[in-house]
């Protein structure tokens, strides 16, 4: 990986793209410290805003600022549109129209993201107003309206930054925004672990060392799973075109172990975060508070429900991402077949069985990764803010960045060879 960065840094074109990504992320992190009008930042900190989960990280974890929502509304809108593309024929036709259809779907996604930001921003401002986080003299409807407009505008600005990074940088801009949010909390987590390790208790020091070693193994295991794939062999039949004989080669179809990626964990967090969203509209309600404690992952019921939802959404998302029938039909049209499996329905059934088995492995892996911080807190009492799920995201984005740079370096190498 370091060799790839060194080689990429020597190429002026790629170096400019990396500079552009760093500059955009710096602008974004600067905006995360611009507060809303009338907000008492000290009151927010004193109220214990450090309870940050995955959805808070997607939102930036910067409550009381113009970037309070982060990229989360856009991600939610993208997930909804991705699911509706399969369910609604009009969106499915747009998806098949190529570049023009993709532009229309992106435009609808942006509008949906703004609508979600408006709803969620209103709930956030209402919750802060009821909780008394606005300074005296600023708790009026005019300031509240400006705050909502500021949050929605901040979300639109982040969407624009992410699209600029995608267009002029390397990789997906939304992924870089999320990674920046996660890494921004890393120094605080390291300081917390250092304070626990140097607190004078030998047992705490040993526990911190064990936690660090455990997370090193998690990184290695995460890379292994992220790169893991099941290769389905495909044998193409020979055919005569004129006087030439074509085909006869053997290829394979790669099926990744983590087909759903972190989407299953994000879906599960979104459902478990519904009580927290309702608490923003109706703060202080007893039954909502009980509901929040029941669904919180630190409770046994919340942990069991969390794992169950991860399994459900892993299979749910995989069913949309992989179409065994379409894969079997395309294979048959191109004269290919899996050795030992007949073409048509037997091939699609074979692919479906393979995907199902991989989904079980992926779901077990995601559940383990998601529950590791909770288990560590149960056993050791040490609260780890940089959990397995966030590590999964960071490792995935890093691997994708390396692949993108390798691809651009390879393209430049071939251009130089041909010229």
């Amino acid at each position: 990986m370091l060799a790839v960065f060194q080689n990429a840094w020597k190429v002026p074109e790629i170096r400019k793209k990396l500079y552009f990504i760093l500059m955009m992320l710096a602008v974004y992190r600067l905006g995360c410290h611009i507060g809303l009008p009338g907000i008492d930042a000290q009151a927010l900190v004193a109220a214990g805003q450090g309870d940050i989960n995955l959805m808070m990280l997607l939102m930036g974890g910067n409550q009381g600022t113009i970037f309070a929502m982060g990229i989360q509304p856009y991600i939610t809108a993208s997930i909804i549109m991705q699911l509706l593309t399969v369910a609604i024929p009009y969106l499915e036709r747009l998806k098949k129209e190529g570049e023009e259809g993709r532009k229309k779907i992106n435009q609808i996604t942006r509008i949906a993201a703004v609508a979600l930001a408006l709803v969620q921003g209103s709930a956030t401002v209402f919750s802060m107003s009821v909780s008394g986080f606005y300074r005296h003299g600023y708790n009026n409807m005019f300031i509240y309206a400006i705050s909502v407009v500021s949050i929605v505008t901040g979300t639109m600005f982040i969407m624009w930054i992410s699209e600029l990074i995608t267009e002029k940088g390397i990789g997906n801009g939304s992924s870089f925004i999320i990674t920046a949010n996660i890494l921004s909390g890393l120094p605080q987590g390291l300081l917390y672990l250092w304070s626990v390790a140097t607190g004078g208790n030998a047992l705490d020091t040993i526990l911190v060392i064990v936690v660090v070693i455990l997370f090193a193994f998690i990184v290695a295991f995460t890379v292994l799973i992220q790169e893991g794939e099941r290769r389905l062999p495909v044998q193409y039949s020979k055919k005569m075109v004129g006087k030439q004989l074509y085909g006869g080669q053997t290829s394979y179809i790669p099926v990744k172990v983590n087909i759903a990626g972190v989407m299953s964990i994000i879906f599960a967090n979104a459902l478990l975060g519904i009580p927290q969203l309702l608490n923003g509209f109706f703060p202080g309600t007893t039954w909502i508070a009980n509901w929040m404690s029941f669904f919180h992952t630190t409770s046994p019921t919340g942990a069991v429900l969390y794992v169950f939802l991860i399994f459900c959404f892993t299979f749910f998302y995989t069913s949309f991402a992989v179409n065994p029938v379409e894969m079997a039909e395309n294979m048959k049209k191109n004269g290919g077949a899996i050795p030992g499996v007949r073409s048509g329905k037997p091939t699609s059934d074979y692919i479906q069985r393979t995907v199902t088995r991989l989904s079980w492995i992926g779901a077990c892996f995601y559940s383990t990764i998601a529950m590791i911080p909770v288990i560590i807190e149960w056993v050791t009492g040490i609260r780890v803010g940089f959990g397995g799920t966030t590590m999964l995201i960071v490792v995935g984005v890093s691997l994708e960045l390396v692949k993108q740079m390798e691809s651009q370096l390879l393209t430049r190498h071939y251009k130089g060879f041909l010229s």
Side-chain angles (χ1 to χ4, degrees):
M1 182 181 291
L2 293 178
V4 174
F5 275 99
Q6 290 176 356
N7 294 331
W9 195 258
K10 296 176 183 178
V11 180
E13 182 182 353
I14 301 179
R15 187 168 62 244
K16 288 180 181 179
K17 292 182 178 181
L18 293 175
Y19 275 134
F20 181 79
I21 293 174
L22 293 175
M23 183 181 66
M24 289 292 100
L25 292 180
V27 172
Y28 166 68
R29 291 308 304 171
L30 179 64
C32 290
H33 298 281
I34 301 177
L36 294 172
I39 284 292
D40 190 348
Q42 295 181 351
L44 275 173
V45 175
Q49 293 296 318
D51 185 16
I52 298 178
N53 53 23
L54 177 61
M55 299 311 293
M56 290 282 287
L57 285 171
L58 296 180
M59 292 161 53
N62 303 287
Q63 298 301 296
T65 68
I66 59 174
F67 289 170
M69 294 296 100
I71 196 68
Q72 192 263 341
Y74 182 71
I75 293 175
T76 304
S78 300
I79 294 172
I80 293 174
M81 289 300 299
Q82 193 171 5
L83 297 177
L84 291 180
T85 300
V86 182
I88 299 178
Y90 172 72
L91 296 177
E92 188 175 2
R93 288 196 301 270
L94 287 180
K95 183 180 179 180
K96 295 179 179 178
E97 288 180 1
E99 184 67 21
E100 291 299 321
R102 187 181 64 83
K103 289 181 180 179
K104 292 180 181 179
I105 291 177
N106 289 341
Q107 187 65 26
I108 298 174
T109 304
R110 296 188 193 100
I111 296 173
V114 173
L116 289 173
L118 182 61
V119 174
Q120 198 167 351
S122 301
T124 302
V125 172
F126 180 75
S127 177
M128 289 189 297
S129 64
V130 174
S131 302
F133 292 138
Y134 281 90
R135 294 193 298 269
H136 181 69
Y138 290 89
N139 46 355
N140 55 72
M141 292 302 299
F142 179 71
I143 296 297
Y144 299 158
I146 293 179
S147 298
V148 174
V149 171
S150 300
I151 289 178
V152 175
T153 305
T155 299
M156 296 172 65
F157 183 75
I158 296 172
M159 289 165 51
W160 179 65
I161 287 180
S162 67
E163 291 184 357
L164 277 181
I165 294 176
T166 303
E167 180 182 352
K168 298 183 179 181
I170 303 174
N172 190 293
S174 301
S175 301
F176 282 108
I177 296 293
I178 296 172
T179 304
N181 290 333
I182 294 173
L183 294 180
S184 65
L186 181 60
Q188 184 179 358
L190 293 177
L191 288 175
Y192 170 73
L193 291 178
W194 177 258
S195 64
V196 174
T198 58
N201 191 334
L203 180 60
D204 288 343
T205 304
I206 295 175
L207 289 176
V208 169
I209 294 175
V210 171
V211 168
V212 172
I213 295 174
L214 179 61
F215 271 93
F217 279 106
I218 292 174
V219 171
F221 187 55
T222 300
V223 174
L224 178 65
I225 294 296
Q226 287 279 62
E227 295 296 299
E229 62 184 21
R230 169 75 161 87
R231 296 183 176 182
L232 302 179
V234 180
Q235 179 68 42
Y236 290 93
S237 59
K238 297 181 179 180
K239 56 183 178 179
M240 185 70 70
V241 179
K243 295 183 179 181
Q244 296 290 334
L245 187 64
Y246 294 94
Q249 74 272 19
T250 301
S251 182
Y252 64 87
I253 300 176
V255 182
K256 297 188 71 64
V257 175
N258 61 335
I259 298 174
V262 295
M263 302 309 299
S264 57
I265 300 177
I266 293 177
F267 282 157
N269 273 279
L271 280 185
L272 292 179
I274 290 177
Q276 186 176 358
L277 181 61
L278 292 176
N279 188 59
F281 283 104
F282 310 102
T285 307
T286 305
W287 68 271
I288 295 180
N290 295 333
W291 197 14
M292 287 178 61
S293 61
F294 181 82
F295 282 138
H296 202 280
T297 54
T298 54
S299 67
T301 54
V304 172
L305 183 60
Y306 189 29
V307 173
F308 175 75
L309 288 175
I310 290 175
F311 270 83
C312 292
F313 282 120
T314 296
F315 286 95
F316 176 74
Y317 189 85
T318 302
S319 65
F320 284 99
V322 179
N323 190 342
V325 176
E326 184 178 350
M327 292 173 64
E329 290 179 354
N330 292 335
M331 197 184 305
K332 185 177 180 180
K333 290 178 182 178
N334 294 319
I338 298 176
V341 182
R342 289 183 299 174
S343 301
K345 190 176 186 302
T347 299
S348 63
D349 292 341
Y350 178 83
I351 297 174
Q352 183 62 59
R353 286 196 303 270
T354 303
V355 170
T356 301
R357 291 169 183 171
L358 292 176
S359 297
W360 279 106
I361 298 174
C364 291
F365 167 71
Y366 303 142
S367 301
T368 303
I369 287 294
M371 290 303 298
I372 280 177
V374 179
I375 295 173
I376 291 177
E377 186 174 351
W378 284 351
V379 175
T380 65
I382 298 177
R383 184 180 179 185
V384 183
F386 195 77
T389 306
T390 55
M391 190 172 296
L392 184 66
I393 296 174
V394 172
V395 170
V397 173
S398 302
L399 292 175
E400 184 63 27
L401 176 61
V402 171
K403 289 180 181 179
Q404 292 282 347
M405 289 193 296
E406 285 179 342
S407 176
Q408 296 200 17
L409 285 172
L410 186 63
T411 303
R412 177 182 174 83
H413 172 74
Y414 276 122
K415 285 182 178 179
F417 175 76
L418 293 174
S419 61

